[in-house]
Amino acid sequence: MKAAVVQAFGKPLVIEERPDPEPGPGQVRVRVEASGLCHTDIHAAHGDWPVRPTPPFVPGHEGVGLIEEVGDGVTHLTVGQRVAVPWLGTACGRCEHCLSGWETLCESQVNTGYGCDGGYAEKMLAWADFAQPVPEGVSPFAAAPLTCAGVTTYKALKVAGVRPAQLVAISGVGGLGHLAVQYAKIAGATVAAIDVTDEKLELARELGADLVIDARTQDPAQVLRGHGGAHAAIALAVNESAFTAVNSGLRRGGKLVMVALPAHGTINLPIFETVLNGTSVIGSIVGTRQDLAEVFELHAAGRTRVIHETRPLDTVNESIDEVLRGRVRARIVFDLDGAAGAASAER
Ligand code: NAD
Ligand code: ZN
Ligand code: ZN
């Protein structure tokens, strides 16, 4: 099988021929149909974060495909079934986090495409208990971005406790942000979308943003304060100053939800304003299996649009460059078996 491999941090990925992986007990082997390119895969390939993966590894945590073999003890999934393989590859199932519905905080978790090989491959392994069945009516090319970009922003809005009539700032309208705008609208909020390219701002409007802020020419904090301040700001731009800008645009009692993970990122948090204004800063990491099930249900019900373009896996290095240059409309999805045919825009 073909796989795109990080052999060394910061070097181009190498397309390799590898033997098909064999599922162990509790695992399944998936023939990957579609695999999204999340900005996290780029951080992984660059070794950007304090905890690094160990090369060689196959990135990718938006892999979707059909089960072709089940390992010992797997009884609830069957050959031929379509599943998504998210960042949360597996967790212990016994710790306080796992037992309280916060398996995303489990200290024994293994992350797909980081702690084990991921979806930039024709075949991949998944732990059956964490492989999410994809409902009828959701194509693999839509399911792929939902598997990380969707569940992560859906969860970020949940932890922000967004309610109707609130003003929500979505900072960064990329793979994550284009879905965040839609979940914020579904929650009933007034949405201010912030980005630095005309195309992204236009896309945000098309997806329902009430207000768009061009961070190249406008100060997001000032614009948000001009509207009374944001009740919640979801920080999705891979840029530290964008975090500071939306934090300053919160209204009293507002919440900054940190999601993007710029390399070695830190922000300067003014203590006086944070205390006097009663604002909160919350970190949010992906979402649980239940969150992903809800994300798929919403899409199956026609409530979200996944904007994506499909590419062959061989384009992985050019595709990464385009994401870094902000040239991608929302999400690139690798087409692992040619099923998408010519580049499709949306499904
Ligand atoms: P992306 O590259 O598709 O999107 C980033 C967007 O930010 C782009 O549209 C870009 O134009 C915009 N941007 C850049 N500078 C900006 C600025 N100053 N102000 C406003 N917008 C700006 O990336 P993505 O795949 O959406 O991922 C975003 C980040 O989220 C990455 O750091 C990724 O690692 C992280 N992430 C975190 C989680 C989590 O669970 N916390 C999950 C997935 C991804
Ligand atoms: Zn656990
Ligand atoms: Zn991701």
Side-chain angles (χ1 to χ4, degrees):
M1 64 132 189
K2 196 159 77 171
V5 181
V6 175
Q7 290 183 338
F9 293 127
K11 296 274 185 283
L13 276 69
V14 178
I15 304 287
E16 277 181 11
E17 198 53 47
R18 291 184 158 194
D20 287 0
E22 283 306 319
Q27 291 186 318
V28 296
R29 185 173 65 232
V30 177
R31 184 167 62 73
V32 181
E33 301 169 282
S35 191
L37 194 180
C38 178
H39 207 119
T40 288
D41 302 328
I42 304 176
H43 295 304
H46 290 175
D48 272 349
W49 299 334
V51 180
R52 292 166 139 200
T54 309
F57 67 94
V58 178
H61 53 275
E62 290 186 347
V64 174
L66 304 175
I67 294 177
E68 61 172 22
E69 194 177 331
V70 299
D72 287 347
V74 176
T75 52
H76 73 291
L77 296 176
T78 51
V79 170
Q81 192 172 355
R82 179 168 289 132
V83 290
V85 189
W87 172 254
L88 190 66
T90 189
C92 82
R94 292 179 302 276
C95 70
E96 70 173 278
H97 309 295
C98 285
L99 292 175
S100 58
W102 280 96
E103 69 257 29
T104 48
L105 302 182
C106 178
E107 297 206 36
S108 308
Q109 67 185 274
V110 179
N111 297 122
T112 309
Y114 211 85
C116 65
D117 285 337
Y120 287 16
E122 287 171 330
K123 314 267 172 109
M124 73 185 299
L125 296 179
W127 279 273
D129 285 345
F130 289 78
Q132 186 71 39
V134 178
E136 284 296 314
V138 178
S139 86
F141 298 95
L146 294 172
T147 300
C148 178
V151 75
T152 299
T153 51
Y154 181 70
K155 184 64 159 193
L157 286 154
K158 267 192 181 178
V159 300
V162 171
R163 296 195 308 272
Q166 290 192 329
L167 176 63
V168 174
I170 304 297
S171 172
V173 188
L176 269 63
H178 94 283
L179 287 156
V181 166
Q182 299 178 63
Y183 295 128
K185 288 307 289 179
I186 290 172
T190 299
V191 175
I194 309 163
D195 209 292
V196 290
T197 78
D198 295 338
E199 294 76 20
K200 308 279 187 160
L201 295 170
E202 202 176 300
L203 175 64
R205 275 222 189 277
E206 206 182 302
L207 295 171
D210 302 281
L211 179 70
V212 297
I213 304 172
D214 184 342
R216 290 169 302 187
T217 55
Q218 293 171 287
D219 173 7
Q222 207 178 3
V223 179
L224 292 169
R225 285 200 302 262
H227 287 78
H231 293 85
I234 315 296
L236 307 171
V238 194
N239 178 308
E240 294 174 14
S241 59
F243 281 65
T244 313
V246 283
N247 188 53
S248 308
L250 291 176
R251 78 173 59 200
R252 290 195 161 196
K255 293 174 184 167
L256 170 66
V257 184
M258 292 187 170
V259 175
L261 290 152
H264 320 292
T266 54
I267 66 162
N268 231 331
L269 196 62
I271 296 172
F272 183 80
E273 284 79 4
T274 304
V275 172
L276 271 283
N277 295 338
T279 53
S280 321
V281 177
I282 309 169
S284 188
I285 178 76
V286 293
T288 62
R289 291 167 285 183
Q290 178 59 27
D291 295 318
L292 183 53
E294 292 172 21
V295 158
F296 282 161
E297 268 172 44
L298 281 172
H299 192 76
R303 311 264 317 263
T304 48
R305 281 172 65 193
V306 177
I307 308 294
H308 62 84
E309 43 189 289
T310 54
R311 308 264 178 94
L313 186 62
D314 303 1
T315 67
V316 62
N317 293 307
E318 301 91 279
S319 298
I320 286 175
D321 284 347
E322 283 181 45
V323 174
L324 290 174
R325 283 187 283 121
R327 293 278 175 79
V328 179
R329 192 150 184 255
R331 205 48 139 200
I332 288 173
V333 177
F334 299 117
D335 177 1
L336 273 302
D337 65 4
S344 64
E346 183 183 332
R347 238 187 278 180

